[in-house]
């Protein structure tokens, strides 16, 4: 007992000292320019939203917040630069659901470990997709697509811009949940993809408001369902997939988040999350969200980590069933 009390006291003092140091660090953060790496090209929807957030963080922090675009190689270029950067929160990265939840199951070998290399600091947004068909398509509902796919296995097709993106995996999820087989067609550009839907070259495709919206507004594509758990306020006449005759519980989202290096002190991580959330509450950003079909995704880091885990499990099952793999 004579030695236990001093040890406990020493441990407590050390803990308080560390907490105090972390809190002080949080109050001082940032002490220099902050760099946010993004795998998205300049002008892309996720990147445009990130720049708006960065502008507000710069005003809040009184230090430059620099967006550095490093697109290409499935986002691995940006991730490699992030891993070689500062580990104290002054280097952050924008990642999406593919990087955090799908790629770990798609690639046999990755140049990063989603669980060990990143701590999600704050989710930025999420968006749902629409089931789009040509304006003159015979399909009026998702149930029509499913019925035809069951009657004619492998005869129907859908498209996306690559293997393993949310649109591809979301379409494969529909196949899995309806026990159907359809052909996946890959296009180099989203403009080609949705032009193929409009012309009838593709039977259907998932698309976001940002990618498929222009042709939908032009009357060349029609949205027959939305992959959300409820109808969207901006599209009250577009039913959910279940309401459209598709499987109950079918949901496909796209989302991005700002991530920090693993092990960032909690007070600093808390500050980043708080300040990002304050930026996202700005009316101008909310208005910009609406133009892309994005919606705020308020969640604590703990809640978001649980959400990422559930998304990862869903993608793992879809990828296994679809027998998709990338080297």
């Amino acid at each position: 007992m004579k030695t236990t009390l001093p040890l406990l006291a020493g441990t407590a003092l050390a803990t308080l000292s560390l907490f105090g140091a972390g809190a002080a660090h949080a109050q001082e953060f940032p002490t220099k320019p902050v760099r946010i790496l993004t795998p998205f090209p300049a002008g892309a929807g996720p990147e445009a939203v990130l720049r708006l957030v960065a502008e507000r963080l710069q005003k809040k922090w009184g230090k430059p917040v620099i967006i550095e675009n490093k697109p290409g190689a499935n986002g691995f270029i940006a991730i490699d630069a992030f891993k070689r950067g500062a580990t104290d929160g002054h280097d952050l990265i924008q990642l999406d659901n593919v990087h955090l939840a799908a790629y770990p199951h798609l690639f046999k070998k990755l140049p990063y470990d989603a669980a060990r290399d990143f701590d999600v600091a704050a989710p930025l947004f999420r968006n749902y997709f629409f089931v789009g068909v040509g304006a003159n398509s015979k399909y009026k509902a998702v149930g029509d697509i499913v019925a035809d796919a069951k009657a004619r296995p492998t005869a129907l097709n859908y498209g996306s811009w690559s293997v393993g993106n949310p649109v591809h995996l979301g379409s494969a999820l529909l196949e899995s949940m309806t026990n159907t087989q359809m052909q996946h067609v890959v296009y180099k550009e989203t403009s080609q993809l949705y032009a193929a839907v409009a012309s009838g070259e593709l039977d259907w495709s998932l698309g976001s408001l940002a990618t498929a919206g222009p042709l939908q507004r032009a009357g060349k594509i029609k949205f027959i369902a939305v992959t959300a758990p409820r109808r969207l306020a901006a599209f009250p006449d577009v039913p959910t997939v279940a309401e459209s005759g598709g499987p109950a519980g079918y949901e496909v989202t796209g989302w991005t988040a700002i991530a920090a290096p693993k092990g960032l002190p909690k007070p600093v991580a808390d500050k980043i999350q708080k300040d990002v959330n304050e930026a996202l509450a700005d009316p101008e950003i909310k208005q910009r969200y609406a133009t892309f079909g994005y919606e705020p995704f308020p969640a604590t880091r703990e809640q978001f980590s649980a959400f990422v885990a559930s998304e990862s499990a869903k993608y793992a099952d879809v990828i296994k069933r679809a027998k998709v793999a990338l080297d």
Side-chain angles (χ1 to χ4, degrees):
M1 294 294 291
K2 291 181 179 179
T3 58
T4 302
L5 289 174
L7 283 173
L8 287 173
T11 301
L13 287 172
T15 301
L16 288 172
S17 177
L18 287 172
F19 179 80
H25 192 167
Q27 290 177 347
E28 296 170 0
F29 179 87
T31 58
K32 59 184 179 181
V34 174
R35 180 177 67 153
I36 307 179
L37 294 148
T38 176
F40 298 101
E47 191 264 3
V49 167
L50 179 64
R51 287 190 179 274
L52 289 174
V53 172
E55 289 173 5
R56 281 143 187 82
L57 291 177
Q58 183 165 290
K59 292 178 182 178
K60 176 87 174 177
W61 290 343
K63 293 287 189 298
V65 178
I66 303 160
I67 304 300
E68 197 167 307
N69 300 85
K70 288 188 176 294
N74 301 302
F76 299 163
I77 296 173
I79 290 171
D80 180 66
F82 168 78
K83 289 176 64 178
R84 290 185 286 106
T87 60
D88 58 0
H90 288 88
D91 273 348
L92 304 170
I93 188 168
Q94 182 183 31
L95 298 172
D96 67 7
N97 48 335
V98 171
H99 302 117
L100 292 171
Y103 279 175
H105 308 291
L106 272 170
F107 283 87
K108 295 176 182 177
K109 187 177 181 180
L110 278 176
Y112 66 91
D113 186 304
R116 290 200 295 262
D117 290 335
F118 310 113
D119 266 335
V120 174
L124 288 173
F125 69 81
R126 68 177 165 189
N127 68 284
Y128 295 99
F129 296 94
F130 294 94
V131 180
V133 299
N136 299 319
S137 172
K138 65 181 180 180
Y139 302 122
K140 309 301 180 185
V142 174
D144 298 335
I145 295 174
V146 173
D148 199 13
K150 287 186 175 181
R152 300 187 298 140
T154 73
L156 275 67
N157 59 21
Y158 61 85
S160 79
W161 57 86
S162 66
V163 173
N165 64 74
V167 164
H168 171 213
L169 296 179
S171 303
L173 177 63
L174 183 65
E175 289 181 279
S176 176
M177 293 181 72
T178 57
N179 195 29
T180 56
Q181 286 184 300
M182 293 175 267
Q183 297 296 319
H184 174 220
V185 183
V186 178
Y187 291 81
K188 290 183 178 180
E189 299 178 1
T190 55
S191 59
Q192 296 173 341
L193 165 63
Y194 297 109
V197 175
S199 70
E201 179 181 317
L202 280 178
D203 292 306
W204 66 281
S205 182
L206 297 181
S208 68
L209 187 61
T211 55
L215 287 179
Q216 185 267 342
R217 290 189 290 272
K220 297 181 179 181
I221 286 179
K222 58 185 177 182
F223 294 155
I224 61 173
V226 64
T227 66
R230 65 192 182 285
R231 296 193 183 200
L232 302 185
F235 291 84
D237 296 329
V238 178
T240 65
V241 168
E243 291 174 333
S244 187
Y250 177 79
E251 184 177 330
V252 182
T253 62
W255 43 267
T256 74
I258 292 179
K262 196 73 173 180
L264 191 67
K266 185 177 184 299
V268 177
D270 287 344
K271 178 177 174 58
I272 293 173
Q273 181 185 40
K274 175 179 175 293
D275 293 344
V276 169
N277 287 341
E278 284 183 6
L280 295 177
D282 186 290
E284 182 184 348
I285 291 184
K286 289 184 176 180
Q287 184 178 9
R288 190 66 179 272
Y289 266 31
T291 65
F292 290 113
Y294 298 161
E295 67 176 26
F297 196 177
T300 64
R301 290 197 306 284
E302 292 76 14
Q303 290 170 335
F304 193 70
S305 294
F307 170 76
V308 172
S310 69
E311 287 279 280
S312 179
K314 179 176 72 175
Y315 280 130
D317 184 62
V318 172
I319 289 165
K320 182 179 180 180
R321 288 175 180 270
K323 299 179 180 178
V324 182
L326 297 171
D327 293 328

